Amino acid sequence: MKIGLVNKFYPPKIGGIEYYVRTLAKGLSALPEVEKVEIVVANEENKRQVEIYGDKIKVVRVANWRTIASTPIAPGMVKALNDLDVDIFHFNFPYPFGDMAYLLSHNKKPLVLSYQSDIVRQKILNKFYTPVRKCFFNNVDRFIATSPNLIKYSNILSRYSDKTSVVPIGIDNSLHINPENKLLGKRLKNTYGDKPLLLFVGRLVYYKGVEILLDAMREIDANLIIVGKGVLKAKLEEFVRKYGMQDKIFFKSDISDEKLVQYFHACDIFVLPSVSITEAYGIVQVEAQMCGKPVISTNLPTGVPYVNQNGKTGLVVEPGNTEDLRRAIKQLLQNENLRLSLGRNAQKRALNEFTDVAMAKHTLEIYREVLESSARK
């Protein structure tokens, strides 16, 4: 089978969907039934680039004129789609320009769409985009949702529930289950002293809720490592200085994948305090769970509480509620047996349901069903 994946960008561009596309491509390419995976994305520069990874993966980065409202404008995408010799397309939503490129192209192969999240912030632009989106969705043979919650709570995706399948996002866990990284994580923890260690990993932007976490930490006797960078970093650092928490709040950035896994192993609790439905899944929760760590996350109407099950793999609190978050952190810090039990449950579930292998096999089965259905038409 020859597969064409389409998205806004591709790593090293940072982003959850970008890493999802890369993980899926690697997973699919490892399956004997897959002949090749060709990926079409926008470049971060105004030039075209082609990259080859292994025997099966090809990445075409189309020249990007400019990025508007988080959407790269890459007119060359129409030609790139026309040039693809594939059996099936797999797009990711939201990417309005990609939808338009598909509609303008003449390469109308069967179409699968991973619906990653609703469009939240660009409300005015979304009004102009809606007719395009509806036309594009009429061409979709099968939708993929990352969790049942996304189908249930999305006003848009719920209309297509009859042709939507759930495929949880999985990760390559080879680094997470490596015993050496677990040992290095313990050594790393010792460098932060005897206090319990909390961890946050993610972009320092509004919807991640890091300000709520820092506010909660004012009355928590533990250390917190914040791994990430973003527009709010200076504001968050100022908050830490204002309340004299420099001795227990530590900011880190530009950490390698292997080193990051060591931080997951080092922590006692992983916290994802997101406050907006922009947080559609929270793949970092899975990384923490792979390392046997309990998660504290928020009760968003998205895949976040699907990944972290309240009372089973961690605790779920109300988004934006500092006191609720503080109580949950204290509960786990004061109850070691509960903390360790939740961590074991989290790791078991992650190994069973959230691997790259499981994701790739399930997605390939959907491709087969779509192609068989299309052949009968």
Side-chain angles (χ1 to χ4, degrees):
M1 188 183 301
K2 295 179 287 187
I3 302 160
L5 302 180
V6 182
N7 189 44
K8 290 181 184 181
F9 296 110
Y10 191 78
K13 174 71 175 180
I14 295 175
I17 302 178
E18 284 68 38
Y19 287 115
Y20 160 77
V21 173
R22 181 175 66 180
T23 303
L24 179 60
K26 288 183 176 180
L28 290 170
S29 68
L31 300 176
E33 303 95 325
V34 175
E35 179 180 337
K36 68 176 181 178
V37 180
E38 295 201 31
I39 305 166
V40 176
V41 296
N43 202 347
E44 292 188 75
E45 305 174 67
N46 190 16
K47 65 178 182 179
R48 182 178 184 273
Q49 289 179 267
V50 177
E51 299 157 5
I52 306 296
Y53 297 93
D55 298 328
K56 295 184 179 181
I57 299 177
K58 177 182 179 181
V59 179
V60 177
R61 300 181 192 264
V62 178
N64 178 11
W65 285 9
R66 64 178 301 183
T67 299
I68 301 174
S70 302
T71 298
I73 309 301
M77 188 156 288
V78 176
K79 182 179 185 304
L81 295 180
N82 284 334
D83 291 343
L84 280 187
D85 174 25
V86 295
D87 301 310
I88 193 166
F89 279 132
H90 185 165
F91 278 61
N92 288 272
F93 179 90
Y95 179 26
F97 195 86
D99 303 353
M100 289 188 284
Y102 176 85
L103 294 173
L104 292 171
S105 72
H106 57 70
N107 194 0
K108 295 295 190 289
K109 294 293 171 61
L111 176 60
V112 172
L113 178 68
S114 283
Y115 192 101
Q116 303 285 357
S117 69
D118 291 333
I119 296 176
V120 180
R121 303 195 78 184
Q122 290 82 20
K123 293 183 179 180
I124 295 177
L125 290 176
N126 193 29
K127 290 182 179 179
F128 294 98
Y129 164 59
T130 296
V132 175
R133 189 258 303 159
K134 289 181 177 178
C135 186
F136 177 66
F137 278 20
N138 287 337
N139 288 270
V140 175
D141 296 287
R142 184 76 65 86
F143 293 85
I144 291 177
T146 55
S147 73
N149 286 358
L150 191 55
I151 304 173
K152 179 179 179 180
Y153 293 111
S154 169
N155 289 331
I156 295 175
L157 188 59
S158 59
R159 302 169 196 170
Y160 302 91
S161 59
D162 60 326
K163 57 177 182 177
T164 302
S165 300
V166 175
V167 181
I169 297 176
I171 66 170
D172 176 355
N173 64 2
S174 56
L175 291 175
H176 304 75
I177 62 176
N178 186 321
E180 183 177 357
N181 281 330
K182 184 175 183 179
L183 177 61
L184 291 172
K186 290 182 179 180
R187 293 177 181 172
L188 178 62
K189 177 181 168 68
N190 291 335
T191 65
Y192 287 90
D194 297 329
K195 289 185 177 182
L197 188 61
L198 279 61
L199 177 67
F200 165 86
V201 177
R203 294 167 58 211
L204 305 183
V205 292
Y206 82 97
Y207 71 85
K208 292 292 186 178
V210 184
E211 293 158 297
I212 304 298
L213 175 56
L214 289 181
D215 196 18
M217 286 298 297
R218 291 168 58 192
E219 297 179 20
I220 297 292
D221 186 22
N223 293 329
L224 168 66
I225 299 175
I226 296 175
V227 179
K229 50 188 177 181
V231 294
L232 293 183
K233 185 175 183 181
K235 181 179 179 181
L236 297 172
E237 289 175 329
E238 176 58 30
F239 186 96
V240 169
R241 287 192 295 270
K242 178 180 178 181
Y243 291 99
M245 297 191 291
Q246 301 95 318
D247 62 337
K248 67 176 186 179
I249 310 292
F250 307 93
F251 290 87
K252 302 290 180 180
S253 59
D254 298 321
I255 293 176
S256 68
D257 290 345
E258 187 165 358
K259 188 68 174 180
L260 180 58
V261 169
Q262 294 168 21
Y263 276 94
F264 281 113
H265 278 296
C267 76
D268 295 292
I269 304 168
F270 182 79
V271 186
L272 185 69
S274 306
V275 296
S276 165
I277 61 172
T278 303
E279 188 73 83
Y281 193 82
I283 193 69
V284 286
Q285 298 183 107
V286 177
E287 295 199 72
Q289 291 171 340
M290 285 291 182
C291 297
K293 305 301 176 176
V295 174
I296 298 176
S297 59
T298 50
N299 191 29
L300 294 169
T302 67
V304 173
Y306 166 75
V307 175
N308 180 35
Q309 297 181 326
N310 188 40
K312 296 180 180 179
T313 63
L315 299 179
V316 176
V317 302
E318 289 306 306
N321 190 321
T322 299
E323 190 54 41
D324 204 12
L325 178 60
R326 183 183 292 125
R327 280 196 297 267
I329 293 172
K330 287 184 175 180
Q331 181 181 355
L332 292 190
L333 290 179
Q334 294 167 2
N335 191 332
E336 183 180 14
N337 288 336
L338 175 62
R339 190 171 70 243
L340 295 177
S341 174
L342 293 175
R344 287 191 295 268
N345 293 342
Q347 187 176 53
K348 182 178 179 180
R349 183 164 186 255
L351 290 170
N352 287 336
E353 301 184 32
F354 300 135
T355 67
D356 55 343
V357 175
M359 179 175 69
K361 288 182 176 179
H362 195 169
T363 303
L364 183 65
E365 183 58 36
I366 290 173
Y367 295 162
R368 287 199 195 99
E369 293 172 3
V370 169
L371 290 173
E372 289 172 3
S373 177
S374 296
R376 291 194 295 267
K377 291 180 180 178

